[in-house]
Amino acid sequence: MAINFKKFVPRPGLVNKQGRLPDPSELVCVEVPKVFDQCLIKRCLVYADGPDTLTTDEELRSNPLENPKRYLSSRDFKVRLLSVDKIPLKGDPNFKKIILNYVISFYSDYMDDNGATQCEFYEIYRTDVVGKFYCPDSIAQISATSDEECEDEDLNIIKLEMVAEALAGEIVEDEAGEEVLDITLGYFIVVKCQLLVQLLIPTYDYCPTPREACEEDPEEDPCERFEKAPVPRFYPDQNLDPLFPEYDETER
């Protein structure tokens, strides 16, 4: 039996596979970027002098450091798309060869001999080629207006989404005898081709006004919080094999 719409409160959340939703109140047309194709770039880069390759980058070495003691960690990873070249493929111009030029930036922290934390800034300029990418051109031409200007919008969007981390950091001596920090960088980049389209979707009206939850929690006495806390486990789980085999239907 379907859920009574009067008892249904529309809100974001998981949809139970066993449950049923009431019929939507209306169909609406929304304008959103739709992903037409995507692919994954996975790289593990180490420092090496000379031209960049699929596994090396000469910009993964810092400037000379003053009395470094040890590498700590890296943070604030960002990716910025610099330029995109789209070359239509013969036979189907909707498929294109994509040449991406982008830069990855981050900070690496290290400790000096005085125990103070210092940091180095890295910018890694990379070029990658996607051999065959479904990135069709928009059929409709749209012009947007505002109070300030009127200009044609770029309907085809190439978007990069990145997850990156410094896999290792090592303080070494360079050819001049200076101490430098070499970073091993690992990252995943999802390349997306998006096109601004109009989609027809079912809706349940506007999202309801959220409950009042933007108030600061009152400070709780630490001893009161300790009294309410459950008793901790004193021993870890034992690594034991089961005494009996799993239940077997043939035993019935």
Side-chain angles (χ1 to χ4, degrees):
M1 183 175 66
I3 297 175
N4 188 333
F5 186 81
K6 295 181 179 180
K7 299 180 179 179
F8 173 67
V9 179
R11 60 180 177 83
L14 297 176
V15 177
N16 190 334
K17 294 182 179 180
Q18 287 76 33
R20 294 183 181 180
L21 294 174
D23 292 334
S25 58
E26 61 177 337
L27 296 175
V28 299
C29 187
V30 296
E31 192 174 72
V32 294
K34 178 182 178 182
V35 178
F36 277 76
D37 201 358
Q38 59 182 347
C39 66
L40 177 67
I41 297 174
K42 180 181 179 182
R43 295 281 184 266
C44 182
L45 304 177
V46 298
Y47 167 78
D49 193 17
D52 296 342
T53 68
L54 293 179
T55 57
T56 65
D57 197 299
E58 67 174 354
E59 291 153 334
L60 284 172
R61 169 164 286 183
S62 71
N63 296 319
L65 309 178
E66 293 186 6
N67 302 320
K69 185 176 181 180
R70 67 171 179 270
Y71 166 73
L72 297 176
S73 63
S74 297
R75 55 185 168 84
D76 298 342
F77 293 91
K78 296 179 181 179
V79 62
R80 180 165 57 93
L81 186 59
L82 300 177
S83 65
V84 178
D85 293 327
K86 304 174 186 176
I87 305 174
L89 299 182
K90 294 181 180 180
D92 191 345
N94 287 329
F95 285 90
K96 297 178 174 64
K97 177 182 179 181
I98 306 295
I99 303 176
L100 304 168
N101 292 290
Y102 58 93
V103 57
I104 298 174
S105 61
F106 61 94
Y107 291 90
S108 289
D109 296 328
Y110 68 94
M111 181 183 295
D112 61 20
D113 285 342
N114 296 322
T117 299
Q118 308 292 342
C119 73
E120 282 288 307
F121 179 67
Y122 292 79
E123 280 189 329
I124 313 302
Y125 290 83
R126 302 293 299 180
T127 298
D128 277 299
V129 178
V130 182
K132 187 176 182 181
F133 207 49
Y134 183 59
C135 195
D137 295 324
S138 175
I139 298 176
Q141 299 299 318
I142 300 176
S143 179
T145 62
S146 65
D147 294 338
E148 298 179 356
E149 58 184 354
C150 176
E151 59 181 9
D152 292 333
E153 292 188 349
D154 184 8
L155 303 181
N156 287 92
I157 304 171
I158 298 294
K159 181 180 179 182
L160 303 184
E161 295 180 355
M162 182 185 72
V163 175
E165 65 174 316
L167 304 177
E170 185 179 6
I171 297 175
V172 299
E173 284 191 4
D174 62 9
E175 294 79 3
E178 300 280 357
E179 289 186 298
V180 293
L181 176 59
D182 287 355
I183 297 295
T184 299
L185 177 67
Y187 65 88
F188 301 85
I189 287 182
V190 176
V191 185
K192 295 183 178 182
C193 175
Q194 297 179 341
L195 187 64
L196 195 64
V197 301
Q198 295 184 34
L199 292 181
L200 190 66
I201 60 173
T203 70
Y204 292 99
D205 205 348
Y206 295 109
C207 292
T209 303
R211 62 182 179 87
E212 295 184 11
C214 298
E215 300 175 355
E216 185 177 356
D217 290 337
E219 292 187 6
E220 187 178 6
D221 184 87
C223 287
E224 292 182 2
R225 185 169 62 250
F226 176 78
E227 291 293 339
K228 295 177 183 178
V231 177
R233 296 177 59 182
F234 278 71
Y235 307 102
D237 292 333
Q238 298 188 72
N239 185 20
L240 300 177
D241 294 327
L243 294 176
F244 306 100
E246 295 293 331
Y247 178 77
D248 191 352
E249 291 285 343
T250 61
E251 297 178 359
R252 298 179 58 183

